[in-house]
Amino acid sequence: LYRRSWEVDHDALDAAQHGMIRQAYISTTLPGVVKGWHLHSRQTDRFVCIRGRIMLALCPLLTPYKTAKRVTLDAERGPGLYTVPPGVAHGWKSIGQEEAWVLNLCSHEYDGTDEWRRPAHEGPADGLSFDWNKEVDG
């Protein structure tokens, strides 16, 4: 949907502005499908579920207590913004009966150098498991 580099005068502004939106895209996920795990060392993700419903899973990997938590984002109950800072492994599962659309307002443009991936059913890190089928509140 958007990349900051598409604008002509972006260089002067980028030098002093941290946390600004440099890319926006929509990811679609069919019901029951899991997208995860992802981790960034620099990028902040800002997720808004604009269609359907997702269970967002998060696990901070840079803290001594690596505990995963679940957050429900539901477009019909009012789309809310959820910010995922660098160092937090994350993924989601589309829950409900319809395809989920998730808008991401990223702090960096994707270039492939700041993304770590791990298979969804292997957990967010070695020795950490995560049950994508556990019921969620909401």
Side-chain angles (χ1 to χ4, degrees), residues 75-126:
E76 288 193 20
R77 289 192 178 179
L81 177 80
Y82 197 93
T83 301
V84 181
V88 175
H90 56 281
W92 66 72
K93 179 179 180 179
S94 176
I95 54 178
Q97 303 303 312
E98 67 177 321
E99 180 179 58
W101 293 6
V102 178
L103 170 65
N104 189 1
L105 305 168
C106 310
S107 65
H108 291 75
E109 290 185 23
Y110 178 79
D111 66 6
T113 63
D114 185 45
E115 183 168 73
W116 165 86
R117 291 180 182 257
R118 184 173 171 91
H121 299 288
E122 289 185 13
D126 289 341

Side-chain angles (χ1 to χ4, degrees), residues 2-118:
Y2 170 77
R3 280 181 174 257
R4 182 78 170 124
S5 62
W6 294 345
E7 296 184 21
V8 177
D9 61 351
H10 68 278
D11 289 333
L13 293 174
D14 281 351
Q17 296 182 5
H18 298 288
M20 68 183 299
I21 296 168
R22 290 189 174 86
Q23 182 172 323
Y25 67 87
I26 295 172
S27 180
T28 62
T29 311
L30 293 173
V33 172
V34 175
K35 289 191 177 181
W37 292 93
H38 302 86
L39 178 76
H40 306 286
S41 62
R42 296 184 315 266
Q43 179 173 301
T44 295
D45 288 325
R46 297 172 189 92
F47 296 129
V48 179
C49 186
I50 59 174
R51 178 182 180 199
R53 188 171 169 224
I54 66 166
M55 173 183 61
L56 177 64
L58 307 132
C59 185
L61 296 182
L62 301 177
T63 64
Y65 304 103
K66 297 168 182 62
T67 304
K69 77 176 205 176
R70 294 167 172 80
V71 176
T72 301
L73 300 180
D74 188 335
E76 288 193 20
R77 289 192 178 179
L81 177 80
Y82 197 93
T83 301
V84 181
V88 175
H90 56 281
W92 66 72
K93 179 179 180 179
S94 176
I95 54 178
Q97 303 303 312
E98 67 177 321
E99 180 179 58
W101 293 6
V102 178
L103 170 65
N104 189 1
L105 305 168
C106 310
S107 65
H108 291 75
E109 290 185 23
Y110 178 79
D111 66 6
T113 63
D114 185 45
E115 183 168 73
W116 165 86
R117 291 180 182 257
R118 184 173 171 91

